[in-house]
Amino acid sequence: MSLKALVTKTVQYNNWVVNKYIDWLSTKSEEQLNQETISSFPTILKTLHHIWQTQEYWWSHISEGNEFDFEKTLAVSSKEDVFNAIKSNSQKLVDYVENLSEEELSKNIKIESQWFQCDFSKYEYIQHAILHGTYHRGQIVTMGRNIGITDAPMTDFNFWNIYKDQ
């Protein structure tokens, strides 16, 4: 499998998972999504916001030229706004990657931020953004269980790979 096919499949899977989670969490009350529990972030909604905010940060580098506006991301806080923002960002990443060549995916992008300096390929930044979201979505399932939400959807990659076309 080519790098292009692998990365495309990965962002398509991520988009599917994001939509599954949003569909699932849309059935939960504001109270449940804002109930505090012990984790990296105190609530499910704040964890989702962090996933989106981080995807936006990496998008600003991956897309080369889109500025990351931290203040703007702080203004997004309602359930619907966070849901729409993360869905939009995930679809935007799919659309972008589907139009990149293998050479463009392999292009290095140097980042100099207040936190770190690095010079990796686009596909490595894309991979990082996806894996970061996966990590925190796992936390959301655990947070949900801790507050009585036990109906998380099955989102394993193999499940998507088998049933995505059905």
Side-chain angles (χ1 to χ4, degrees), residues 34-44 46-47 143:
N34 288 299
Q35 185 173 339
E36 292 202 9
T37 186
I38 297 172
S39 194
S40 297
F41 295 90
T43 71
I44 289 172
K46 286 182 179 177
T47 304
M143 293 168 78

Side-chain angles (χ1 to χ4, degrees), residues 48-59:
L48 270 178
H49 185 274
H50 170 73
I51 293 169
W52 166 69
Q53 191 176 49
T54 302
Q55 281 187 188
E56 280 293 313
Y57 173 79
W58 288 107
W59 168 253

Side-chain angles (χ1 to χ4, degrees):
M1 178 181 293
S2 71
L3 175 65
K4 166 75 174 172
L6 180 63
V7 176
T8 299
K9 212 172 183 181
T10 301
V11 296
Q12 289 169 344
Y13 164 71
N14 179 71
N15 190 51
W16 176 80
V17 170
V18 164
N19 281 283
K20 282 280 196 196
Y21 265 66
I22 298 307
D23 290 348
W24 167 54
L25 294 171
S26 293
T27 67
K28 308 308 171 203
S29 69
E30 291 273 349
E31 182 180 294
Q32 287 173 303
L33 296 179
N34 288 299
Q35 185 173 339
E36 292 202 9
T37 186
I38 297 172
S39 194
S40 297
F41 295 90
T43 71
I44 289 172
L45 190 59
K46 286 182 179 177
T47 304
L48 270 178
H49 185 274
H50 170 73
I51 293 169
W52 166 69
Q53 191 176 49
T54 302
Q55 281 187 188
E56 280 293 313
Y57 173 79
W58 288 107
W59 168 253
S60 72
H61 294 293
I62 293 162
S63 63
E64 297 181 89
N66 290 296
E67 289 292 321
F68 177 69
D69 187 347
F70 183 75
E71 295 301 318
K72 181 180 173 188
T73 66
L74 291 177
V76 173
S77 60
S78 75
K79 173 181 166 178
E80 291 78 20
D81 288 347
V82 171
F83 288 0
N84 289 333
I86 195 169
K87 285 175 73 167
S88 174
N89 179 279
S90 297
Q91 183 61 54
K92 178 171 58 177
L93 189 56
V94 170
D95 296 341
Y96 182 73
V97 167
E98 285 178 347
N99 288 302
L100 291 178
S101 67
E102 186 127 352
E103 294 75 30
E104 291 166 319
L105 282 168
S106 297
K107 177 184 177 187
N108 275 33
I109 301 171
K110 186 173 185 174
I111 299 175
E112 294 183 16
S113 76
Q114 63 191 27
W115 306 289
F116 59 86
Q117 294 182 13
C118 56
D119 188 14
F120 301 120
S121 64
K122 280 188 185 194
Y123 78 84
E124 288 171 297
Y125 295 132
I126 293 166
Q127 181 180 26
H128 170 70
I130 302 302
L131 293 174
H132 174 266
T134 300
Y135 170 79
H136 286 295
R137 284 190 300 268
Q139 288 181 322
I140 288 171
V141 171
T142 301
M143 293 168 78
R145 284 198 159 296
N146 287 335
I147 62 170
I149 301 172
T150 59
D151 61 343
M154 170 57 76
T155 58
D156 284 347
F157 179 77
N158 197 49
F159 187 82
W160 171 79
N161 224 10
I162 294 167
Y163 297 109
K164 70 180 178 284
D165 296 324
Q166 295 180 4

